[in-house]
Amino acid sequence: MRTQVAIVGGGPAGLLLAQLLHGYGIDTVVLERRTRAHVLERVRAGVLETGFVEMMREAGVAMRMEDEGIPHHGARIAYGEESFRIDFAALTGEQVMIYGQSEVTRDLYEARDAAGLETLHECAGLRPHDIDGAQPFITFLHGGRMNRLDCDFIIGCDGFHGPCRDAIPQEALQGYEKTYPFGWLGIVSETPPVDDELVYCNSERGFALCSMRDEGLSRYYIQCPLADSPDDWSDEMFWEELGRRLPGEMRARLVTGPSIWKSIAPMRSYVCEPMRWGKMYLCGDAAHMVPPTGAKGLNTAASDVHYLSRALMRHYREGDDRGLEDYSGQALARIWKNQRFGWWMTNLLHRFPEQSAFDLRMQQAELAFLQENEAARRALAQNYVGLPY
């Protein structure tokens, strides 16, 4: 097999990159180790930055998002019985879009199918070869036999545990990691949301987040110990604990019901440098992870896609490789800013085991300052709707 760009990973980052490259007339093959059903069943984030929404439009896959997505012009922050609104539209002139990652992925798969482009699922034993040579290639088991895919470039969109980052010499990589001493217990329920916009809660019992997928499908999270299992939490226990973390007026509006999904997500920050080795480029979770507090995971992957798609377009159309040479540094500059925002939001809203009385008062003062100071709210809003590419 032969293609121009081989993309490892059939999640939203790999599929969005492939769709943009197709629009530029660049051939791609997408290789995914899981089944399509497994990829589409993943329950993930659903807050899309302005830049992500624009790329969906550019890729020609925004129709359903425009019809079914929910534009959000702000979000609420609660602490104790206090709450205040961050008005994205007034502070930045921008908004975010609530549209589930699984729906983004579905739209991209359907567009790829309609164009007759090649996507191979259940690719086992995938290995990149000669990534620092003139002719990289990938070997993998598919359809009961070994296959070889030759290409100009390999793009690793294969997640934190994928094979692409592991193919880079370990002595050439520098990893930066922070793990947090708690996780998020999340549920989805067929109930109306407690508020029209997302609500981030700092309470003496820990963090909570009230989110939604649409007017009849809510998604809620509470901070929990890492040692917990979803099986430790009945629906009744979850709703009771969530209610304790909300201001009274929100608690009174909370509609409960059976969960249709429940899981615990660990909290981690990770960045690997560089994001390029020879003819292989890392994109998304293969190179970085961010705690979900600032809604930056999928959006940071999308910024990688932006830089990489433009760089590949200039390579093939103009013979200009400056974008490819600068990709790692350019992407990392924005990634570290998103890491800062996720780290700041996590520290602002969660309770840490080692927090002293002084630390708690500083957290309360930070929240009060944010409530009272327009410049502070504007900085939060600018990061939340998305920094410029």
Side-chain angles (χ1 to χ4, degrees), residues 152-185:
D152 300 331
F153 302 100
I154 298 172
I155 313 299
C157 300
D158 50 340
F160 186 76
H161 298 289
C164 286
R165 188 177 70 250
D166 288 344
I168 299 175
Q170 292 305 298
E171 63 273 14
L173 286 178
Q174 175 68 57
Y176 302 87
E177 185 170 15
K178 178 177 178 61
T179 57
Y180 294 87
F182 43 74
W184 276 14
L185 170 64

Side-chain angles (χ1 to χ4, degrees), residues 17 31 34 114 148 200 230 237-238 317 327 339 342 344:
L17 177 62
L31 307 176
R34 300 284 195 171
R148 171 173 167 150
Y200 290 84
M237 290 171 61
F238 179 90
R317 286 187 178 177
Y327 166 70
Q339 288 286 354
W344 177 77

Side-chain angles (χ1 to χ4, degrees), residues 266-316:
M267 305 280 284
R268 170 192 286 165
S269 296
Y270 174 80
V271 179
C272 120
E273 299 182 0
M275 292 172 59
R276 172 201 178 185
W277 190 258
K279 296 294 185 69
M280 187 170 74
Y281 298 79
L282 302 179
C283 182
D285 286 357
H288 47 79
M289 299 182 74
V290 65
T293 323
K296 292 300 166 203
L298 177 59
N299 290 300
T300 305
S303 69
D304 297 345
V305 169
H306 169 85
Y307 296 127
L308 198 48
S309 62
R310 271 61 178 174
L312 288 165
M313 175 184 65
R314 288 194 293 271
H315 167 80
Y316 283 108

Side-chain angles (χ1 to χ4, degrees), residues 1-7 26-30 135 149-153 316:
M1 301 170 63
R2 177 85 173 89
T3 191
Q4 290 176 302
V5 178
I7 298 173
I26 300 169
D27 292 332
T28 63
V29 171
V30 175
Q135 187 62 65
L149 174 62
D150 290 283
C151 55
D152 300 331
F153 302 100
Y316 283 108

Side-chain angles (χ1 to χ4, degrees), residues 31-286:
L31 307 176
E32 167 58 46
R33 67 188 182 95
R34 300 284 195 171
T35 65
R36 180 180 296 201
H38 178 90
V39 175
L40 290 172
E41 285 167 3
R42 295 171 182 160
V43 179
R44 294 289 189 271
V47 179
L48 309 184
E49 291 179 352
T50 303
F52 193 109
V53 170
E54 289 302 320
M55 276 196 288
M56 290 284 283
R57 291 170 178 152
E58 181 187 346
V61 292
M63 184 177 298
R64 198 160 68 93
M65 178 191 71
E66 306 277 18
D67 290 341
E68 300 177 14
I70 307 172
H72 273 202
H73 303 281
R76 298 198 69 81
I77 294 180
Y79 62 108
E81 291 300 314
E82 297 282 332
S83 73
F84 59 95
R85 184 169 182 263
I86 307 294
D87 191 332
F88 303 150
L91 293 165
T92 70
E94 304 287 354
Q95 63 186 24
V96 295
M97 181 74 77
I98 305 300
Y99 190 63
Q101 177 173 317
S102 58
E103 302 308 313
V104 170
T105 308
R106 190 182 309 279
D107 294 342
L108 289 163
Y109 269 133
E110 290 178 359
R112 191 162 179 82
D113 291 344
L117 304 174
E118 191 153 24
T119 307
L120 301 180
H121 287 85
E122 299 181 84
C123 298
L126 190 150
R127 287 186 60 196
H129 301 269
D130 292 349
I131 58 176
D132 55 352
Q135 187 62 65
F137 65 97
I138 301 172
T139 56
F140 59 97
L141 181 65
H142 182 264
R145 63 185 180 88
M146 288 300 297
N147 297 267
R148 171 173 167 150
L149 174 62
D150 290 283
C151 55
D152 300 331
F153 302 100
I154 298 172
I155 313 299
C157 300
D158 50 340
F160 186 76
H161 298 289
C164 286
R165 188 177 70 250
D166 288 344
I168 299 175
Q170 292 305 298
E171 63 273 14
L173 286 178
Q174 175 68 57
Y176 302 87
E177 185 170 15
K178 178 177 178 61
T179 57
Y180 294 87
F182 43 74
W184 276 14
L185 170 64
I187 73 165
V188 175
S189 63
E190 293 176 328
T191 55
V194 74
D195 196 271
D196 292 338
E197 297 175 327
L198 270 66
V199 181
Y200 290 84
C201 301
N202 175 314
S203 84
E204 63 180 13
R205 300 183 65 87
F207 169 81
L209 171 62
C210 304
S211 182
M212 74 283 291
R213 281 294 168 265
D214 55 46
E215 294 178 356
L217 195 63
S218 298
R219 190 170 180 178
Y220 295 102
Y221 297 93
I222 58 174
Q223 176 184 347
C224 69
L226 274 175
D228 283 7
S229 162
D231 296 335
D232 298 331
W233 289 82
S234 67
D235 289 352
E236 292 76 15
M237 290 171 61
F238 179 90
W239 291 118
E240 183 178 354
E241 183 59 34
L242 175 64
R244 290 173 177 171
R245 302 185 187 192
L246 301 179
E249 53 91 12
M250 291 185 191
R251 184 164 57 247
R253 298 199 306 268
L254 181 64
V255 178
T256 66
S259 64
I260 59 174
W261 171 87
K262 186 185 295 180
S263 75
I264 291 180
M267 305 280 284
R268 170 192 286 165
S269 296
Y270 174 80
V271 179
C272 120
E273 299 182 0
M275 292 172 59
R276 172 201 178 185
W277 190 258
K279 296 294 185 69
M280 187 170 74
Y281 298 79
L282 302 179
C283 182
D285 286 357

